[in-house]
Amino acid sequence: MLIERFMNSHWLSNSFIVAAGPASEAILIDSGGSKEEILYFVKDQGLKVRTIFCTHHHHDHIAHNLELKSEWKCTIAAHKREANLISDVDVEFDHKQIFEIGSLSIQVLHLPGHTAGQSAFLVQDQVVFTGDTLFRGSVGGTCGPGHTTYEDLRHSIMETLMGLPPETKIFPGHMDETDVGTEWKTNPFIRFWRGLEENLNESCTAFGRGAKLKIEAKDYDGGSKGLVEFEDSHESAIVPGSSIRRKIHE
């Protein structure tokens, strides 16, 4: 299988061309990467891109959809829960739906949490493209545009993604690849959900709201993310570390 990554240097968002090999039918997963590099690679490899699959509607993942659709005369596919948030969608998919493109088999895995329609794509039962749900050593946030709940995100990761075979390669929506087995053993959030990491239970504020910080870990961009429980609502959320302010105890 041919998999090529294109990363936007500003957003650190990934696009992936996936094909059985050179001179074959292909798909593009997300379009926020370098448009020029994507176009050059597709032409150089003699590929025919049939569909742009969108993991979710955030701009850094769909930025070049319309230009690439026009160039390739291909379709755009998105989850039915947020297809209306993405311009010019041709195909609305749902959980467990399977697409056959050339010799590729692509299964949709619906992963609500980061957004309502956030989806992953399991290709050939070997590799999974997780969008902004699961990263190498981190997880997606649950406070951005169109998010659902922390509980949704946790279920999407623990029940859906971690249910895949440990050797399954993971290609996230940002930065570097990993695999299911590695994340099960080393990802701090997954370890916390497994009861293997200490609950900090530390008083803080997040977005100016009183909260308890349960765990904080390094994020893909060199910053951090934290799991907090808000005191006023008792709701939990995955938030950027930049929003967290620890309370100083004297």
Side-chain angles (χ1 to χ4, degrees), residues 55-58 81-82 85 110-119 132-133 139-154 156 207 209 225 228 230 233 235-240:
T55 61
H56 63 299
H57 71 272
H58 290 167
R81 288 188 64 180
E82 57 185 58
L85 301 175
H110 182 212
L111 304 174
H114 184 68
T115 71
Q118 166 76 60
S119 298
D132 283 4
T133 295
V139 299
T142 60
C143 55
H147 70 88
T148 62
T149 66
Y150 161 75
E151 288 75 15
D152 281 346
L153 182 84
R154 181 183 182 281
S156 293
F207 298 114
R209 296 167 63 188
K225 277 202 179 88
V228 301
F230 293 109
S233 65
E235 293 178 343
S236 296
I238 302 290
V239 303

Side-chain angles (χ1 to χ4, degrees), residues 20-190:
S24 64
E25 295 185 326
I27 63 173
L28 176 69
I29 297 174
D30 286 348
S31 70
S34 168
K35 181 184 67 173
E36 292 74 20
E37 291 180 11
I38 293 169
L39 287 169
Y40 176 83
F41 181 81
V42 166
K43 184 176 181 180
D44 181 66
Q45 295 293 311
L47 300 172
K48 177 64 177 178
V49 178
R50 296 298 188 188
T51 302
I52 299 171
F53 283 95
C54 305
T55 61
H56 63 299
H57 71 272
H58 290 167
H59 179 71
D60 53 337
H61 296 267
I62 63 169
H64 304 303
N65 274 12
L66 297 183
E67 298 154 282
L68 293 174
K69 177 179 182 175
S70 176
E71 177 72 24
W72 295 328
K73 305 299 186 288
C74 66
T75 58
I76 295 174
H79 192 275
K80 65 181 185 179
R81 288 188 64 180
E82 57 185 58
N84 64 318
L85 301 175
I86 300 172
S87 297
D88 214 16
V89 169
D90 305 282
V91 178
E92 296 185 16
F93 52 67
D94 203 354
H95 185 53
K96 295 289 189 178
Q97 190 167 344
I98 295 176
F99 294 86
E100 303 288 344
I101 296 180
S103 59
L104 294 177
S105 176
I106 303 109
Q107 183 180 45
V108 176
L109 301 176
H110 182 212
L111 304 174
H114 184 68
T115 71
Q118 166 76 60
S119 298
F121 306 105
L122 180 64
V123 181
Q124 304 293 86
D125 291 321
Q126 298 174 15
V127 300
V128 64
F129 299 84
T130 57
D132 283 4
T133 295
L134 180 63
F135 307 115
R136 182 177 180 177
S138 186
V139 299
T142 60
C143 55
H147 70 88
T148 62
T149 66
Y150 161 75
E151 288 75 15
D152 281 346
L153 182 84
R154 181 183 182 281
H155 184 274
S156 293
I157 293 172
M158 297 302 285
E159 303 302 324
T160 301
L161 294 177
M162 291 298 104
L164 297 173
E167 65 273 16
T168 307
K169 288 187 178 180
I170 294 171
F171 292 90
H174 294 270
M175 293 299 288
D176 299 328
E177 68 185 78
T178 181
D179 60 68
V180 169
T182 297
E183 295 312 300
W184 178 257
K185 294 176 183 176
T186 65
N187 187 299
F189 292 96
I190 293 173

